[in-house]
Amino acid sequence: MATNVTNVKDVFTVINERSSVRKYNPSIEISENELKEMIEAAGKAPSAWNLQHWHFVVIKGDKAQNRLLPIAYNQQQIVEASAVIAVLGDLEANKNTDAVYNPLVEAGYMTAEIKETLAKQIAGAYENHQYARDAAFSNASLAAMQLMLAAKAKGWDTCPIGGFNAEQFVNEFHIPKRYVPVMLITIGKAAAPAHKSTRLPIEAITTWIEN
C-alpha cells in the first residue's frame, strides 16, 4: 500500500515529536485507508522467527467506542479519539510457521531443510506456555510502538493505554483464546497538548560493557 511521501519527517523528528495525547477533537474522522497504512507499517516490525505475534482490532465509530468505554474505566479519550486500536499478542504464533516460511522455500530464498530445522525449534519453544505468553507480549509491543510512530509520521496523535479490563474486553468483543490483549491505542487529532514530561538522563538508563 503506497504512502504519500510529501512532507515526510525523518525518524528522529517523529520520535521527538511523539507524545501521549489524552484529549482529542471528537469531530475529526480518520479513514479506513489511513488506519490500514498504519497497521501495515506496524506489521513490518521485527518478531522472533518472523512469526509476527500480533493481531489488531480496530474499534471505530460511536457505537463501538462506547462499548469499549466502561471496559477502559471510562477514560474519555476512548470516545473522543477518531479510532481505537487494540493490540493483541498471539499465544499460538507457532501456527504461522508454514505461512511465513513456505513462500520463502517456494521462491528459493530458503531450503526445505532449513525451514524444517526452524519449524522444530519453534515447536520446541512453544511447548513452554510461559515462553508463548512472553513472546506474545514482547513482539506485539514492538508492533504497537511502530504503529504509534507511523501515526505520528502521518500527522496523527496517539496514546497507549494499559488501564483496561482485559477479561471484559475479551468477552465483549469475542476475542479468540489464541490472543491476549496487550494494550489499547487511541488515535486522533489533539484537542489539547500532551502533558509535559521528562526523561531520565542517558547515564541512568545505560550500562556500557566494553571488555
Side-chain angles (χ1 to χ4, degrees), residues 10-30:
D10 72 85
V11 67
F12 286 99
T13 299
V14 172
I15 290 171
N16 285 319
E17 289 184 352
R18 188 218 63 81
S19 55
S20 295
V21 167
R22 295 172 175 81
K23 291 186 180 297
Y24 297 94
N25 184 338
S27 68
I28 296 178
E29 296 187 4
I30 188 169

Side-chain angles (χ1 to χ4, degrees), residues 3-11 13-14 153-154:
T3 301
N4 188 340
V5 296
T6 304
N7 297 324
V8 169
K9 300 176 181 179
D10 72 85
V11 67
T13 299
V14 172
K154 290 175 63 62

